[in-house]
Amino acid sequence: MAMLSSVIRSGMSTLANSSSRGVSHVTVIGGGLMGSGIAQVAAQTGHKVTLVDLDEKVLSSSTSRISKSLSRVAKKKFGDDAEGAKSFLDSTMGAISTSTSAVSVVQETDLVIEAIVENMGIKHKLFTELDGAAPDNVIFASNTSSLPIEEIASVTNRKDRFGGLHFFNPVPMMKLLEIVKTPQLSDSTLDQLKAFGKAMGKTSVVCSDTPGFIVNRLLVPNLAEAVKMKERGVASTEDIDIAMRLGAGHPMGPLQLADYVGLDTCLFILQGWNAKYPEIEMFKPPATLEKLVSEGKLGVKSGEGFYKY
């Protein structure tokens, strides 16, 4: 009986340690701007990181981008201390490995952060494969900016260990992290995600799994309303932006901001929300936004949107 009690206590202790330990290894899936930014900051803050993408060329581009970004950080942080800068760069880059196989690397990680294309079918396929390969203790998270976390998690058997970690671009510069809590997310997992956000040097806010979470739910309809105001002939593009800069203290007007976000991104978010919630008027995409995107005028990245660049 004493031996049985000892085994039970040992097992309970192992489970407790597994659920309370911090995140030391992070797997980031998606080698684009967001994925590489998340990988960089995770490595900078003492985590081991594996960056995954199906395309070796994307991974090569990602590591090059991270190295250049870290060089700027090192110059700012160490100034004329060339030895300190080199040590920082070498140790941070040394913490990052790459792979083209997500299934093979998730067996040795604590947290998986998905930062791939905003397509529910593709995310479902990925997480179905990962759920079968990753140990039970591994936490899954999506960096989606617009898709429901609960729906993404629906194909897994770890809904209590699946949350949203919405970083903002550029990740090394933007301090905010939205942690998205589904009804199924356990308190212990939420605590681990909060601790991870703090370790990453981010200011975390927690919100429920609502369309757009906090920032985009407030921001995107605001941008859309500015477009509709222009359509109604209330004011010109320039005057709408000037009014919000000088009258509301915004650093950038809504139409200029839409150009910087990407008009295709704004439209994609609105279309997704409108399809799911057609009764909500503010989610209906403005005709002008649809026209500009159809013409390839996507904002800053294409050289023209509401303004020319």
Side-chain angles (χ1 to χ4, degrees):
M1 182 66 70
M3 182 178 292
L4 178 60
S5 297
S6 175
V7 170
I8 291 173
R9 284 196 300 272
S10 175
M12 291 176 68
S13 175
T14 299
L15 286 172
N17 288 338
S18 175
S19 64
S20 63
R21 72 185 183 188
V23 172
S24 60
H25 187 282
V26 184
T27 296
V28 181
I29 301 179
L33 286 174
M34 291 302 298
S36 59
I38 295 167
Q40 175 187 325
V41 176
Q44 274 182 238
T45 50
H47 301 87
K48 290 288 185 181
V49 181
T50 301
L51 181 61
V52 179
D53 198 281
L54 294 174
D55 192 333
E56 285 278 12
K57 290 182 179 179
V58 171
L59 289 173
S60 177
S61 176
S62 298
T63 52
S64 176
R65 185 187 306 119
I66 292 170
S67 180
K68 289 176 182 177
S69 178
L70 285 171
S71 295
R72 292 192 293 270
V73 173
K75 185 175 182 179
K76 184 177 181 180
K77 186 174 182 178
F78 293 95
D80 295 331
D81 181 5
E83 187 175 335
K86 184 178 184 303
S87 176
F88 166 78
L89 184 60
D90 289 347
S91 64
T92 305
M93 289 301 297
I96 302 173
S97 61
T98 61
S99 175
T100 57
S101 173
V103 168
S104 64
V105 300
V106 296
Q107 298 171 23
E108 301 291 337
T109 195
D110 300 309
L111 172 65
V112 174
I113 303 175
E114 167 268 311
I116 64 172
V117 62
E118 293 281 64
N119 180 292
M120 187 63 75
I122 295 175
K123 290 182 191 292
H124 275 174
K125 183 176 185 297
L126 171 68
F127 279 115
T128 298
E129 294 174 353
L130 297 185
D131 193 47
D136 290 342
N137 64 287
V138 178
I139 298 171
F140 286 178
S142 175
N143 180 61
T144 181
S145 61
S146 61
L147 299 178
I149 299 298
E150 188 173 8
E151 187 176 347
I152 299 173
S154 66
V155 296
T156 74
N157 293 310
R158 64 185 76 215
K159 298 175 184 64
D160 60 324
R161 295 183 305 288
F162 199 123
L165 287 177
H166 181 216
F167 293 86
F168 291 79
N169 191 38
V171 180
M173 301 291 294
M174 300 293 279
K175 298 293 289 183
L176 184 65
L177 171 63
E178 289 180 323
I179 300 176
V180 185
K181 185 181 186 302
T182 68
Q184 295 82 20
L185 187 72
S186 69
D187 290 341
S188 62
T189 301
L190 179 60
D191 288 342
Q192 286 178 282
L193 293 178
K194 288 179 180 177
F196 174 68
K198 184 176 182 180
M200 290 273 281
K202 301 301 182 185
T203 298
S204 297
V205 294
V206 178
C207 65
S208 62
D209 189 16
T210 189
F213 315 134
I214 297 174
V215 174
N216 282 340
R217 178 60 183 268
L218 294 172
L219 178 63
V220 175
N222 173 259
L223 302 184
E225 180 57 29
V227 179
K228 293 172 184 176
M229 181 176 283
K230 174 181 167 63
E231 288 177 344
R232 294 193 297 267
V234 173
S236 67
T237 296
E238 293 79 5
D239 285 352
I240 290 171
D241 281 350
I242 290 170
M244 292 307 291
R245 286 202 309 270
L246 302 184
H250 293 185
M252 188 180 295
L255 298 174
Q256 185 182 12
L257 179 56
D259 275 353
Y260 274 84
V261 170
L263 302 188
D264 54 335
T265 301
C266 294
L267 180 60
F268 177 83
I269 292 171
L270 287 168
Q271 287 174 332
W273 292 352
N274 185 54
K276 198 169 185 65
Y277 308 98
E279 73 281 1
I280 300 179
E281 183 64 29
M282 72 172 67
F283 290 170
K284 295 188 185 302
T288 298
L289 188 61
E290 294 175 326
K291 182 174 184 293
L292 287 170
V293 171
S294 71
E295 294 171 350
K297 298 174 181 177
L298 310 180
V300 174
K301 60 186 171 185
S302 69
E304 184 177 355
F306 288 104
Y307 296 90
K308 289 187 178 181
Y309 301 90

